[in-house]
Amino acid sequence: QVQLVESGGGLVQPGGSLRLSCVASGIIFSFSDMGWFRQAPGKQRELVAAITSGGRTNYADSVKGRFIISRDNAKNTVYLQMNSLKSEDAAVYYCHAGSRANSGSWGQGTQVTVSS
């Protein structure tokens, strides 16, 4: 019954910005660690950013200084603000709930395309 619904993906030019949202249901959101992963064609899924129930964040080295993860517990929503987007950021982005990638729940994914 866990459901994670992403939105905000789309087409953006290099150097542009995009904000992804993930609305969660079926979990006690305020107690849940949340994360964003991405997968590009031919590549492995990778962790982009994570935020714990306590608000601690961590980021992949490739996005540090450009992306910001945040959460709004009142809205059961986690966000990923993506700035200074590069071609290598293009991927399907997935929302995840849980402290471990192999023990939680996944959203359906949202496509981010970076192209001029």
Side-chain angles (χ1 to χ4, degrees), residues 12-18 66-67 82-86 89 114:
V12 65
Q13 296 184 28
S17 296
L18 209 59
R66 299 189 297 120
F67 290 11
M82 304 185 292
N83 300 314
S84 301
L85 282 160
K86 305 174 180 179
D89 295 318
V114 184

Side-chain angles (χ1 to χ4, degrees), residues 50-52 55-59 69-70:
I51 184 166
T52 69
R56 185 174 62 192
T57 60
N58 65 279
Y59 299 89
I69 188 170
S70 62

Side-chain angles (χ1 to χ4, degrees), residues 30-84:
S30 62
F31 293 171
S32 299
D33 297 335
M34 303 294 297
W36 288 96
F37 292 73
R38 68 186 181 190
Q39 187 167 22
K43 300 183 68 176
Q44 297 294 322
R45 182 182 61 189
E46 64 175 348
L47 176 67
V48 178
I51 184 166
T52 69
S53 60
R56 185 174 62 192
T57 60
N58 65 279
Y59 299 89
D61 288 342
S62 60
V63 308
K64 285 181 179 176
R66 299 189 297 120
F67 290 11
I68 301 171
I69 188 170
S70 62
R71 65 192 297 156
D72 186 340
N73 288 345
K75 297 181 178 180
N76 281 15
T77 301
V78 62
Y79 304 95
L80 184 67
Q81 178 67 47
M82 304 185 292
N83 300 314
S84 301

Side-chain angles (χ1 to χ4, degrees), residues 8-12 18 20 82 85 89-93 110-114:
L11 175 65
V12 65
L18 209 59
L20 307 183
M82 304 185 292
L85 282 160
D89 295 318
V92 177
Y93 283 71
T110 185
Q111 177 73 53
V112 172
T113 302
V114 184

